Amino acid sequence: MRKSAHALEPATAAWGGARTPSPEAYRRRDVYEREVERVFRRSWIAVARVDQVARPGDYATIDVFGEPLVVVRDRENEIRVLSRVCRHRAMPVAQGCGNRHSLQCPYHLWTYGLDGRLLGAPGMELADGFDRASVRLPALRSDTWEGWVFATFDPDARPLAHDLGPLARAIAPWRVGELRTLEPLVYESPWNWKVMVENFMESYHHAGIHGDTLQPSFPAERTWAEDADGPFAILHNPVRAAGTPMPALLPSIDGLPEERRGELLVCAAFPLHLFAIASDHMLWYRIEPRAYDHFTLRIFPCVPVAAAEDPALRERIAALRSFVDLVHCQDIRVCEAVQAGLGSRLAAPGHYSHLEKALWQFHRWLAARLAH
Ligand code: FES
Ligand SMILES: [Fe+2]
């Protein structure tokens, strides 16, 4: 087994005998590089929400593991995920998001259609052997799932929905594909991406660092992960008093059955796709890895369309954003400190709590992917 998979080896044992990964998995560049090659580039990555590119001409950019991409909806209403690296001398042809007829590189003004074809290249008329018609921005395989646009660099990857059936069924009552995506909260995050996934996928820590925020509603000791054997994990967070709807800032998601309102459902589609669903909103955590010890996190709140468009609820939505920030700042404190701890020569694999089964599922999946 290669060294990078070896760093995950303690987690590959059966539940009970397994231990958390070796600290090396979090502090070595070569492990990260192998994760990029063997895992990220071969997986489906959520790059945007469909409603972020709702109209023809809409585009949204994202950088993932060193790849500048742009998600666009073209004139034929097709969503495409393209490299946004100019085919001339590699300038990114778009930044941020907006609506355009075409994508023009700001460096020497080459212009690309929304399907990636090069439409114009001023000053190239005299270039020997230059064939404009054969130049285009490379397109990735892309697909949509539950309101997200996903892309993969792997032409042989299994279809996106292939392994996510149980996850789609688990989240069906919330109809997250119909929610409106709001502006993200953005955090530069100087720690390993796996520390973020782990932090997200267990609520054991509610009792510790979220004692005044999440623990009162979603006590650590009541949380449980579904037994799953696929590229996903589902963590149930029942509200403290059974049958009591959880405190909500916004009206409930339309059609959500009464009995599902008192719960926070925390989900991952490995490796990078994290989201948590409550009765009145969803939070999408978009991890954009940059290095073994750095990623950018964008947290997109998603709310029912009626709530997003109701001026009377603006303050409630602002309060939701403040709460999300407050909770994440509590997480930042520990994630940064954990990364420092993982640098210790005395750090070692630890025991999982019974409340951390989703972490074990994640680590086993990752170890298997790294080993191939
Ligand atoms: S780098 Fe894009 S036009 Fe020159
Ligand atoms: Fe947390």
Side-chain angles (χ1 to χ4, degrees), residues 86-91 93 105-110 112:
C86 184
R87 304 302 280 175
H88 177 220
R89 276 176 36 218
M91 172 83 193
V93 301
C105 179
Y107 204 174
H108 312 96
L109 306 180
W110 287 22
Y112 299 87

Side-chain angles (χ1 to χ4, degrees), residues 330-347:
Q330 294 177 327
D331 284 319
I332 288 175
R333 266 208 343 264
V334 290
C335 289
E336 279 190 1
V338 163
Q339 186 70 30
L342 288 164
S344 163
R345 293 295 164 96
L346 297 178

